[in-house]
Amino acid sequence: MFRFIPVVTGIIHLVISQLMTGADTVTGVAIYNLILVATSIWLLMQREVVMAGAVGAWALSSIYAALVDSMGLTMIPILNGFGFLAFYPLIFYYILRSQQLVKISRTQILDSLIITVGISALLSTLALAATSNATSTSEKFLLTLYPIGDLLLIFLLVLVGMRSGVSREYFILLLAIIIFTLSDLGYLWLYSKSEYFVGGLVDEGWLIALLLCAAAPKLPAAAKKTLNTYPPIFIALTLALSILGWYSINPAKVSPLTLIPAIGTLLLAFIRMAFALEEAELGKIHRTLAVTDELTGVANRREFLDRLAKLPQDGSRALLLLDLNGFKAINDKYGHSTGDRTLQEAAHRFELALTEESYLARLGGDEFAVLTLAPLERAEQVAERLRRALAAPLYVGEREISLSVSIGAALIEGQSDPLERADAQMYLAKRSAR
């Protein structure tokens, strides 16, 4: 909890500055910058050099702006903005230092882009409006760079959250960057209307954001819980659509340049949707392959046993166990290629002989199994259809192959294993067929 002392100090400063509106502005600004300098020194004592540099650089520019304003000097935009801009690469490096961003999927990159480009639709609107009040080219340059820096930080944090997971420290830093971005938005908005003043909520937002950054000195490389990107994606799309709608209603009040990120967000969303459909289809294929026998195309042993385990033990279903007679001799005589094609043809004939109420699987080798409705007499009728399915010879290329099948049946009831009972019945049938 010791690390949150600067944040508590910032909140106290926020409350006092908003309640005491008639207080001395110079004193308030001095205390404001003193808090930042003290926090930077405290971070150095904690050996958090990068974060101390980020907060300290921002504090230096804030002190310079306060001195210029109090002494009536001419502001040099580049000198004033240097510390503000230095904050972004330092925080960027701070995040990257704790992460190894490898194995990033294309959907993670797309989700991050949708969020950042969608937010840029609003940021670009405010930035372009704010630059109209700029007095120099360097000031326009800085007003444009601030939102770009915010976007880069949001993009990186979203990417880190999706790839490595989230933690308490991650949420603290994410909250800090969100507050920082909102403060920049407020500044651009007020600056465009020539209504910005020192000591307002915008300045307090920057202070709280910087102190929250100082409260998250250890950003872990991974955590258990991953980041859910759907809410920010929805917000980004809403912003993009709102910008397009605003432009269609008031085209004279909105710069056409703001349409670029808005349209880009929608295009990225469509690409993301296409990837999602592709992934869903691939997932469906993988699930099918996981439950399907690769050779014959019927269900595999794992899927069959899983389905068997879920059936009620009430005698409403019967199990048939099938074993091909003479298959080993075919394999030995003609080779495994012919044996495989024989199994495929046998499985195909079994499928044609079964109705929709029955379920066929290959357990392995030349052994198949069928789940069908009881009573047992009905299962015997199914068994007879399966025997007749192999009555006619099979043709593999130019070879004529004759096969028969031994079948054992058992009701799925009681506590005994129906597979063992059906197996015993199948071997009795096999011995009597010799």
Side-chain angles (χ1 to χ4, degrees), residues 18 39 47-48 57 94 99 106 125 150 154 166 198 266 328 349 351-352 371 389 411 417:
Q18 297 307 304
T39 301
R47 297 184 179 180
E48 290 294 335
Y94 168 79
Q99 305 293 317
R106 60 184 183 182
T125 302
D150 294 329
I154 292 173
V166 298
V198 176
L266 297 180
K328 185 178 183 303
R349 290 197 182 187
E351 283 188 300
L352 293 177
L371 294 174
L411 288 178
D417 188 352

Side-chain angles (χ1 to χ4, degrees), residues 4-65:
F4 289 102
I5 291 177
V7 179
V8 174
T9 305
I11 293 174
I12 293 173
H13 184 275
L14 167 65
V15 174
I16 293 176
S17 65
Q18 297 307 304
L19 291 178
M20 300 177 64
T21 54
D24 184 10
T25 303
V26 175
T27 303
V29 171
I31 295 174
Y32 179 99
N33 290 313
L34 181 62
I35 293 173
L36 289 176
V37 172
T39 301
S40 180
I41 295 172
W42 176 74
L43 284 169
L44 281 174
M45 293 173 62
Q46 301 295 319
R47 297 184 179 180
E48 290 294 335
V49 180
V50 177
M51 187 63 75
V55 176
W58 207 95
L60 287 176
S61 283
S62 178
I63 292 171
Y64 173 77

Side-chain angles (χ1 to χ4, degrees), residues 152-203:
L152 288 174
L153 289 179
I154 292 173
F155 174 83
L156 181 60
L157 276 175
V158 171
L159 204 58
V160 167
M162 293 176 64
R163 183 256 176 192
S164 300
V166 298
S167 63
R168 183 175 65 176
E169 287 76 12
Y170 175 88
F171 276 120
I172 292 173
L173 187 57
L174 180 62
L175 177 62
I177 299 305
I178 290 174
I179 295 175
F180 200 88
T181 302
L182 291 175
S183 298
D184 280 347
L185 284 174
Y187 172 73
L188 291 172
W189 176 257
L190 293 173
Y191 190 89
S192 67
K193 300 170 67 177
S194 301
E195 294 179 1
Y196 169 75
F197 63 93
V198 176
L201 279 176
V202 167
D203 290 340

Side-chain angles (χ1 to χ4, degrees), residues 229-392:
T229 58
Y230 290 111
I233 285 177
F234 177 77
I235 294 173
L237 289 173
T238 302
L239 286 174
L241 290 171
S242 299
I243 296 297
L244 292 174
W246 187 16
Y247 180 80
S248 65
I249 296 173
N250 298 301
K253 296 183 179 180
V254 182
S255 171
L257 293 176
T258 61
L259 300 182
I260 296 175
I263 295 173
T265 302
L266 297 180
L267 290 176
L268 287 170
F270 281 118
I271 295 172
R272 177 65 175 87
M273 187 184 301
F275 283 160
L277 292 174
E278 180 185 349
E279 289 176 353
E281 186 63 28
L282 287 175
K284 182 180 178 181
I285 292 172
H286 291 157
R287 287 191 296 272
T288 301
L289 291 175
V291 300
T292 303
D293 178 61
E294 185 177 357
L295 178 63
T296 61
V298 300
N300 61 18
R301 183 183 185 88
R302 179 187 297 177
E303 173 65 10
F304 175 81
L305 293 177
D306 183 62
R307 183 168 295 210
L308 177 62
K310 294 176 181 178
L311 290 177
Q313 305 287 317
D314 58 0
S316 62
R317 288 269 179 177
L319 167 65
L320 302 178
L321 208 56
L322 292 67
D323 189 84
L324 300 180
N325 300 322
F327 177 75
K328 185 178 183 303
I330 295 170
N331 245 353
D332 295 341
K333 184 176 181 180
Y334 301 115
H336 289 288
S337 177
T338 299
D340 288 347
R341 294 182 63 185
T342 300
L343 287 174
Q344 291 171 343
E345 180 61 26
H348 178 63
R349 290 197 182 187
F350 288 154
E351 283 188 300
L352 293 177
L354 295 172
T355 58
E356 292 183 358
E357 65 188 26
S358 299
Y359 178 78
L360 173 68
R362 181 188 175 212
L363 302 186
D366 61 341
E367 191 174 52
F368 293 83
V370 173
L371 294 174
T372 188
L373 292 173
L376 202 56
E377 292 79 9
R378 189 168 182 177
E380 288 294 347
Q381 294 174 3
V382 174
E384 186 57 33
R385 288 201 299 270
L386 292 169
R387 293 188 191 97
R388 289 200 300 266
L390 297 184

